[in-house]
Amino acid sequence: MGQRRIVAGFGLAALAAGAVTVAAPQAFAQELAPGVSCEEFGFECSNDTDDTYRVKSTVGCGGSGVATTWHDVTTYVPPRARVTVSTTCSPRHESGSWEHQPPKLGPDGKYESQPPVWEPGDVVPTRPTGVIHQSAVVDNNPPAPAPSGSFG
């Protein structure tokens, strides 16, 4: 009787493991042009053609307790290459507030009110939280890369 329970337990565990495998998310590619695709829920784009493509995407930036903001980005995908969509997110500056100060005891023994003091808001880091790829068009004349800051 004890062996049957163990076998049944292994059977249920195997069945559960199979269900997890089936339910695991897969990377789906969104084809934006023939031979050019981007991960549907990711930041990678690939180009299987002989042309350079300009990919337009919208990237969401947010974080813990920070609302997501969306901004447009352009990524150039060279021929026969795979690149990562630019995902630089700027920190969010929370709004500050005027803080009232307690009265101060003056030299004459009377309390004097103090002016409020401006307290700046916190700077909250953000990170990429999502991407929506919109289009890809042939652009065999991409802009030159920005200087690296090093002198040759």
Side-chain angles (χ1 to χ4, degrees), residues 103-112 114:
K104 183 176 170 184
L105 185 60
D108 60 358
K110 295 182 182 177
Y111 283 98
E112 301 171 356
Q114 300 296 308

Side-chain angles (χ1 to χ4, degrees), residues 51-135:
D51 290 306
T52 297
Y53 273 80
R54 182 177 66 239
V55 174
K56 297 280 187 175
S57 306
T58 302
V59 174
C61 293
S64 179
V66 177
T68 300
T69 58
W70 295 88
H71 60 278
D72 295 330
V73 297
T74 300
T75 306
Y76 289 89
V77 186
R80 311 275 173 214
R82 183 172 182 85
V83 299
T84 302
V85 172
S86 172
T87 57
T88 303
C89 291
S90 301
R92 174 83 49 85
H93 297 272
E94 292 182 344
S95 53
S97 62
W98 287 101
E99 299 294 326
H100 294 283
Q101 302 300 306
K104 183 176 170 184
L105 185 60
D108 60 358
K110 295 182 182 177
Y111 283 98
E112 301 171 356
S113 59
Q114 300 296 308
V117 174
W118 176 254
E119 292 291 333
D122 292 333
V123 176
V124 180
T126 63
R127 60 180 171 74
T129 56
V131 62
I132 301 168
H133 304 290
Q134 297 161 339
S135 65

Side-chain angles (χ1 to χ4, degrees), residues 20 30 61 79 151:
V20 169
Q30 173 187 4
C61 293
F151 296 99

